[in-house]
Amino acid sequence: AAIAGAFARRICVLQTCAHRLHLLFLLHDVLQTEFARQEPFRPIITAFRPCLLWILRPAYQLAMSSSPGDEPQKVLKLLSMWEERGIL
């Protein structure tokens, strides 16, 4: 849980949308790896679950304000994938 909280705080200070997206994709890879194992106990997902929306929010806000491209859609796609898989 401490790592998830630090991750949430760190993503807020990153200046560019590209950096925030990079961290989100890295987190997605970690969560997906744990999800794919199909084990009943998932400590990483359990630790990050309370912070995921607080991690996504600043990335989405910066994407909406600074880049009219497809960055906001990438964040929303991560959100929908995590919802589908029960990570959120």
Side-chain angles (χ1 to χ4, degrees):
I3 293 173
F7 196 98
R9 287 187 299 278
R10 178 67 182 148
I11 202 164
C12 291
V13 298
L14 296 176
Q15 298 296 317
T16 66
C17 189
H19 283 113
R20 291 181 186 193
L21 281 174
H22 179 74
L23 279 183
L24 285 177
F25 291 139
L26 178 63
L27 176 60
H28 175 72
D29 288 345
V30 171
L31 295 174
Q32 276 302 114
T33 300
E34 185 166 275
F35 181 79
R37 290 188 184 152
Q38 297 297 324
E39 294 177 4
F41 180 63
R42 297 176 176 164
I44 297 172
I45 291 174
T46 303
F48 273 89
R49 184 174 285 133
C51 298
L52 285 177
L53 291 178
W54 298 107
I55 291 170
L56 284 172
R57 184 175 186 234
Y60 182 74
Q61 287 175 329
L62 184 62
M64 288 297 290
S65 67
S66 66
S67 53
D70 62 341
E71 282 84 3
Q73 293 304 320
K74 290 178 182 179
V75 176
L76 291 176
K77 181 157 176 79
L78 283 176
L79 176 63
S80 68
M81 283 192 293
W82 292 346
E83 283 179 326
E84 286 173 12
R85 294 180 174 112
I87 294 172
L88 266 179

